[in-house]
Amino acid sequence: MTDVSSREDDVVDAVVETLCAAAPSIRAGLPGRRVYEEGTNPSGERQMEADTYADELLLKRLRPLDGVGEYASEERPDVIDVGEGVSVALDPLDGSTNLKPNNVMGTLYSVYDEPLPTGGENLLAAGYILYGPVTTLVAARDGVVSEYILESGVKRPLREELTLPDDPAIFSFGGRVNRWFDEFEAFASETERTEGMKLRYGGSMIGDVNQILHYGGVFAYPAQTDAPKGKLRQQFEGFPIGYIIECAGGRSSDGETSLLSGTPEGIHDRVPVYIGNDSLVESLEARLD
Ligand code: FDP
């Protein structure tokens, strides 16, 4: 009899390999798709042609995989039934507004052993492919984060057991300062004045979180006065990023508790996101309390 968890492990491997293999096509498809589509995505945000291109390509590649039951993406309203097995949630092109100025962006994935929407405790694996000067994969699974370089869609190990550096160096805060709550603004201002800390915000969550993973520090897309749940999506962004950062020895929070402890009611629900070195996120949580 085949062990269920080893079968799920094989399916997760197949999903990650499929995403890696699609990376060169996604990159190659970007130059001609840096313009907006007519409509908006289910969260009411404008979509670029590259967003829908990446979504359609990834659905096409993942659909035939044995052991994948559901596909969901930030770019489509509903969860798609593709068979029987694990559920895959994607932000096919996170940070696509960075296409215009030609800055970093990526594909963010999370794999669950329950139908979507589902809670962070049902994550089997999460990670992202980063389309930077080179293409890299950061993959988290079983409490371990590994980094790979992708060449022609094939991964080569760069770093095993990636952990956040002990000394934080970067802060990266999204949203509009005049819409931050006072408690967050106080934390931001204290962080700005902390010796050794410097601002780096690129406008793509994956790129910004990747900097925190490599240099240490704190990233936030906070609750705002006009958007108490912030901007980022719990299922597609909050859970995978929380999982990756916690596997790398950091802390994640929605302002009160770990990002992984929540359960969305709808697939496109939003959540405030605070991640980084344990000490910084803990003091942020104390401020927001
Ligand atoms: P984008 O709209 O470019 O796709 O969730 C989407 C996201 O980017 C995140 O990647 C990023 O952190 C955030 O929105 C950027 O929002 P701001 O433009 O408000 O900074």
Side-chain angles (χ1 to χ4, degrees):
M1 205 169 78
T2 319
D3 183 303
V4 175
S5 61
S6 86
R7 211 168 52 220
E8 280 179 344
D9 276 350
D10 291 346
V11 179
V12 171
D13 281 342
V15 168
V16 176
E17 297 297 333
T18 301
L19 296 173
C20 292
S25 302
I26 292 186
R27 254 199 123 111
L30 298 178
R33 296 185 175 83
R34 301 167 73 218
V35 291
Y36 283 107
E37 301 261 21
E38 288 280 308
T40 58
N41 71 14
S43 303
E45 288 153 4
R46 295 184 75 190
Q47 283 173 305
M48 300 206 99
E49 282 185 15
D51 286 313
T52 47
Y53 165 72
D55 171 54
E56 280 159 18
L57 179 82
L58 293 173
L59 172 59
K60 197 167 139 201
R61 300 275 183 104
L62 291 170
R63 193 192 275 277
L65 293 187
D66 272 349
V68 177
E70 288 186 342
Y71 172 92
S73 122
E74 260 196 37
E75 306 305 332
R76 53 181 73 232
D78 302 314
V79 178
I80 311 283
D81 185 348
V82 293
E84 229 171 85
V86 303
S87 306
V88 180
L90 293 185
D91 185 352
L93 217 46
D94 178 74
S96 57
T97 52
N98 269 355
L99 267 169
K100 190 173 168 183
N102 192 25
N103 285 332
V104 74
M105 75 201 93
T107 297
L108 181 57
Y109 69 87
S110 43
V111 185
Y112 305 82
D113 60 4
E114 288 290 323
L116 300 168
T118 191
E121 78 276 10
N122 296 318
L123 268 164
L124 294 171
Y128 53 84
I129 292 170
L130 197 68
Y131 309 106
V134 294
T135 310
T136 51
L137 164 73
V138 167
R141 194 153 145 201
D142 299 329
V144 177
V145 182
S146 311
E147 184 178 31
Y148 305 84
I149 192 154
L150 296 186
E151 282 163 331
S152 308
V154 177
K155 60 191 208 309
R156 181 164 54 80
L158 270 184
R159 287 172 71 187
E160 301 285 346
E161 300 191 25
L162 205 59
T163 52
L164 263 74
D166 290 336
D167 291 329
I170 305 285
F171 62 92
S172 192
F173 301 145
R176 309 290 173 271
V177 178
N178 64 353
R179 296 179 203 164
W180 287 350
F181 286 96
D182 293 346
E183 295 79 3
F184 182 77
E185 195 172 349
F187 171 79
S189 157
E190 184 183 287
T191 308
E192 277 165 19
R193 282 160 186 74
T194 302
E195 185 59 36
M197 292 293 281
K198 63 184 174 190
L199 166 68
R200 277 197 180 182
Y201 184 74
S204 138
M205 187 196 66
I206 285 189
D208 289 325
V209 167
N210 191 57
Q211 294 198 103
I212 303 300
L213 195 57
H214 286 84
Y215 293 124
V218 55
F219 166 87
Y221 205 107
Q224 301 199 97
T225 50
D226 62 339
K229 291 199 158 188
K231 177 179 183 189
L232 303 179
R233 264 61 46 139
Q234 192 172 21
Q235 193 83 68
F236 301 109
E237 293 167 309
F239 289 151
I241 289 308
Y243 183 79
I244 294 162
I245 291 296
E246 290 191 19
C247 288
R251 188 182 185 101
S252 84
S253 178
D254 62 5
E256 286 179 15
T257 181
S258 163
L259 279 172
L260 301 181
S261 56
T263 304
E265 282 173 20
I267 192 82
H268 296 285
D269 283 6
R270 299 176 194 263
V271 69
V273 170
Y274 310 97
I275 60 94
N277 285 74
D278 192 67
S279 56
L280 286 167
V281 179
E282 194 179 11
S283 84
L284 171 56
E285 273 181 334
R287 285 251 186 207
L288 299 179
D289 202 7

